[in-house]
Amino acid sequence: MGSPLCPRPPANRVLRTAYLQPGAPDVELADRPTISIQIVDPECLPGLLGAFMIAKLPNAEPDTVHVDSSAEGQITSEPGLVTSIRNRYEAIRLWAYPEHVSLKMIEEVKREWI
């Protein structure tokens, strides 16, 4: 997630409440043992290049990435692109706040918005 969570709250109070209430997807996911939520400092330029996902597949299958751009999404197991995306992930992770700090930031924004 980018930081600040949003520069200003959504104008619609219903949307604002739904976005951060208990059971909202982002907040609920933090309770799962295999998922962590970390907010990334807004100065993190590699994080501005677009969304991506890295899938570590079973049975020794090659890792696969999904990369979004403004024009289209791309799914590939091409080793060079997978390595490039892994490197971008590590660069972003260096800018991320620890999970406990990120979750505290979310709670603070919830108090302000709701």
Side-chain angles (χ1 to χ4, degrees):
M1 298 180 97
S3 171
L5 291 174
C6 264
R8 61 185 186 277
N12 181 320
R13 182 166 173 73
V14 173
L15 175 62
R16 182 168 63 223
T17 303
Y19 181 70
L20 291 171
Q21 71 181 354
D26 289 341
V27 176
E28 188 175 278
L29 289 174
D31 292 334
R32 296 183 183 183
T34 58
I35 295 177
S36 63
I37 295 177
Q38 292 180 272
I39 296 174
V40 177
D41 189 284
E43 299 293 320
C44 176
L45 296 180
L48 299 176
L49 298 174
F52 62 88
M53 293 180 278
I54 303 170
K56 189 156 192 70
L57 303 175
N59 304 323
E61 293 182 54
D63 290 352
T64 300
V65 296
H66 177 271
V67 183
D68 277 337
S69 74
S70 58
E72 66 182 334
Q74 176 184 3
I75 299 173
T76 184
S77 296
E78 192 275 310
L81 186 55
V82 170
T83 298
S84 173
I85 294 300
R86 282 198 179 285
N87 290 341
R88 181 164 29 139
Y89 169 76
E90 290 302 324
I92 293 168
R93 199 169 66 82
L94 291 172
W95 282 87
Y97 297 103
E99 184 175 36
H100 72 280
V101 173
S102 296
L103 294 175
K104 183 178 178 183
M105 292 170 76
I106 291 170
E107 290 301 320
E108 289 172 1
V109 169
K110 281 172 58 174
R111 282 193 298 276
E112 290 176 21
W113 283 13
I114 297 177

